[in-house]
């Protein structure tokens, strides 16, 4: 939830409940936000360069009108969702979730651009975050559009631009074996311009099946795409950190992904997606299961 406090010289100050940019931007759901200094963050999202400053209570968005904030960024930051109530429900389930929620108290699930999320998590497979970020920025610099008024900032490249690119030229971003996946996804989306819109309008189970038909998209990546684009807040992506934390805290033994996924749907219910994010961030930062 949020409340607009003031507008001053085209800067907008907002009180945002249950938010901490470090938790939100570093919890593994996005790759184009970076910390400039204490409390100040900048990123490219929704085709726009954004800077904000967080003082622990208030968030100031630089060069932003109230109209733009309400029309675009309230949805992006999921500000109409009561995370205080969500945390209360999850923390009441067990001591493990209580600790995870307390640790990552400022996480909010972003509603990111579907195409950007799709390609970003194709790139993320078997990859480290610094390298993922480097690949995405290099792709954007060469195939995105320069953002006016922002030094060396570029929009995320659209599917048509990548589909027209020469495969040899694309190697400049050094994606390794993921290059074929990038090209395949770009070609598929560019040949079916309505596909992304259709994914947003159909039941999440059907959208998941379509995503799984893409070369290079498996169950974990499909769940990441659904969760981080806002298409399915019940999706429960299972990577090595989530698998380890679930095995360590809930199963007390090595457990297959199918069993973990079924348990999460039953135990976390409609809060599966955000529960996963609290557990993932808690596990990774505290090396749970190592």
């Amino acid at each position: 939830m949020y409340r607009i406090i003031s507008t001053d010289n085209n800067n907008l100050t907002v009180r945002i409940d249950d938010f901490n940019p470090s938790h939100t931007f570093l919890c593994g759901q996005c790759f184009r936000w970076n910390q400039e200094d204490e409390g100040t963050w900048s990123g490219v999202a929704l085709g726009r360069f954004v800077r904000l400053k967080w003082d622990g209570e208030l968030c100031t968005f630089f060069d932003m009108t109230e109209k733009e904030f309400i029309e675009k960024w309230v949805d992006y930051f999921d500000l109409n969702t009561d995370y205080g109530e969500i945390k209360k429900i999850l923390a009441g389930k067990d001591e493990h979730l209580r600790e995870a929620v307390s640790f990552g108290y400022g996480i909010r699930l972003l509603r990111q651009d579907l195409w950007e999320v799709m390609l970003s998590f194709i790139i993320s497979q078997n990859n480290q975050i610094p390298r993922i970020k480097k690949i995405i920025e290099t792709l954007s610099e060469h195939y995105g559009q320069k953002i006016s008024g922002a030094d060396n900032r570029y929009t995320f490249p659209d599917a048509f631009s990548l589909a027209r690119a020469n495969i040899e030229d694309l190697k400049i971003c050094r994606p390794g074996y993921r290059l074929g996946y990038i090209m395949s996804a770009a070609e598929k989306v560019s040949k079916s311009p309505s596909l992304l819109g259709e994914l947003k309008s159909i039941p999440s189970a059907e959208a998941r099946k379509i995503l799984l038909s893409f070369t290079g998209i498996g169950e974990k990546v499909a769940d990441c795409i659904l969760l981080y684009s806002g298409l399915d807040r019940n999706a429960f992506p299972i990577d090595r950190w989530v698998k380890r934390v679930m095995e360590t805290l809930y199963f007390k033994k090595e457990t297959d992904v199918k069993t973990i996924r079924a348990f999460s749907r039953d135990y976390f219910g409609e809060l599966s997606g955000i529960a996963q994010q609290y557990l993932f961030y808690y596990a990774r930062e505290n090396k749970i299961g190592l």
Side-chain angles (χ1 to χ4, degrees):
M1 312 300 281
Y2 71 97
R3 181 162 61 92
I4 293 173
I5 301 299
S6 65
T7 57
D8 180 30
N9 296 323
N10 214 29
N11 298 329
L12 185 72
T13 299
V14 186
R15 183 186 303 278
I16 302 177
D17 298 331
D18 308 297
F19 175 65
N20 183 310
S22 294
H23 298 173
T24 294
F25 298 143
L26 300 180
C27 69
Q29 64 175 321
C30 58
F31 303 105
R32 300 201 71 189
W33 285 93
N34 298 288
Q35 186 167 17
E36 295 183 359
D37 54 44
E38 185 65 31
T40 303
W41 294 76
S42 64
V44 177
L46 306 182
R48 163 87 139 99
F49 173 66
V50 180
R51 289 182 72 245
L52 62 83
K53 186 171 183 63
W54 173 251
D55 68 3
E57 182 179 359
L58 301 177
C59 191
T60 297
F61 293 85
F62 300 106
D63 189 29
M64 184 177 293
T65 65
E66 182 176 337
K67 181 176 185 292
E68 181 193 350
F69 177 77
I70 292 172
E71 290 180 351
K72 293 178 65 173
W73 302 101
V74 167
D75 184 64
Y76 178 82
F77 286 101
D78 201 21
L79 297 183
N80 285 323
T81 297
D82 188 348
Y83 279 75
E85 182 62 23
I86 289 173
K87 289 189 290 186
K88 186 185 302 182
I89 293 170
L90 289 176
K93 279 189 169 293
D94 60 62
E95 62 179 312
H96 307 308
L97 266 174
R98 186 161 56 251
E99 290 184 17
V101 166
S102 176
F103 185 81
Y105 65 88
I107 293 174
R108 300 190 76 92
L109 283 174
L110 304 176
R111 295 182 181 272
Q112 302 174 73
D113 175 75
L114 177 55
W115 166 244
E116 179 173 343
V117 171
M118 183 185 298
L119 211 64
S120 296
F121 280 91
I122 285 175
I123 291 167
S124 76
Q125 297 176 81
N126 300 311
N127 220 342
Q128 299 297 314
I129 288 179
R131 188 157 180 263
I132 298 167
K133 290 169 72 72
K134 178 63 176 176
I135 293 171
I136 290 172
E137 291 308 321
T138 303
L139 273 178
S140 300
E141 288 169 12
H142 286 83
Y143 298 100
Q145 300 295 316
K146 194 173 190 308
I147 298 174
S148 177
D151 293 338
N152 299 316
R153 304 285 184 151
Y154 298 82
T155 62
F156 193 83
D158 60 46
F160 299 96
S161 299
L162 293 178
R164 290 194 299 266
N166 183 292
I167 193 166
E168 289 300 316
D169 292 339
L170 273 173
K171 289 181 179 178
I172 194 171
C173 70
R174 305 175 70 85
Y177 69 88
R178 305 164 196 83
L179 178 58
Y181 300 163
I182 292 170
M183 288 299 296
S184 178
E187 290 170 0
K188 190 167 184 173
V189 171
S190 64
K191 288 177 181 177
S192 302
S194 64
L195 180 59
L196 296 178
E198 291 171 6
L199 286 172
K200 297 175 183 179
S201 64
I202 61 178
S204 58
E206 293 180 28
R208 193 172 191 271
K209 287 180 182 178
I210 293 174
L211 290 172
L212 289 171
S213 72
F214 279 70
T215 301
I217 294 183
E219 292 190 339
K220 180 255 181 177
V221 171
D223 285 337
C224 285
I225 296 167
L226 292 169
L227 181 61
Y228 303 137
S229 66
L231 292 187
D232 184 7
R233 290 310 205 195
N234 300 332
F236 195 84
I238 302 173
D239 70 347
R240 62 191 180 100
W241 288 111
V242 174
K243 188 173 187 293
R244 287 172 182 169
V245 74
M246 294 299 289
E247 290 171 340
T248 301
L249 301 183
Y250 292 97
F251 292 94
K252 312 299 183 184
K253 62 179 181 179
E254 188 171 345
T255 308
D256 63 89
V257 169
K258 183 178 180 180
T259 300
I260 294 173
R261 184 173 287 111
F263 172 85
S264 72
R265 285 195 298 265
D266 180 61
Y267 189 65
F268 303 124
E270 294 183 353
L271 299 180
S272 292
I274 185 61
Q276 184 272 358
Q277 205 61 34
Y278 289 128
L279 288 167
F280 168 82
Y281 185 63
Y282 178 63
R284 189 190 65 185
E285 296 301 303
N286 293 283
K287 306 295 187 293
I288 302 296
L290 290 184

